[in-house]
Amino acid sequence: FPSHDNNMSNDYYVYLFLREDGTPYYVGKGIGGRAFSKKGRRMKPPPDKSRIVFHSKNLTEDQASALEKELIAK
């Protein structure tokens, strides 16, 4: 029986919210339209959508989680 394991699909990405000066104030991992969604989050996306930057795409959930943690640490 086939199953869709999100951990093995390459549908995830890591994104940044940038301040007006171009410095990041938020790092997140997402799938689908998560980077642009205001629902269920404390940190709202910037009003100017050009300040939402995709750092990496086509990642597994594990890869996205690891990269998100690495970027937050920096």
Side-chain angles (χ1 to χ4, degrees):
F1 47 92
S3 69
H4 181 71
D5 184 353
N6 279 341
N7 199 29
M8 299 306 289
S9 70
N10 289 6
D11 297 335
Y12 286 82
Y13 53 80
V14 173
Y15 61 96
L16 309 168
F17 290 168
L18 305 180
R19 295 180 186 92
E20 288 186 16
D21 69 2
T23 59
Y25 67 90
Y26 181 81
V27 177
K29 77 171 170 109
I31 192 169
R34 173 68 180 149
F36 300 98
S37 174
K38 294 179 184 178
K39 189 175 180 180
R41 63 164 75 233
R42 290 183 187 169
M43 191 62 63
K44 301 294 183 205
D48 178 356
K49 300 303 180 216
S50 71
R51 294 189 354 232
I52 300 173
V53 176
F54 292 90
H55 181 281
S56 299
K57 295 181 178 181
N58 301 315
L59 303 172
T60 66
E61 185 173 18
D62 284 348
Q63 290 169 328
S65 293
L67 180 57
E68 177 189 34
K69 288 175 188 169
E70 179 184 331
L71 292 174
I72 289 169
K74 289 180 180 179

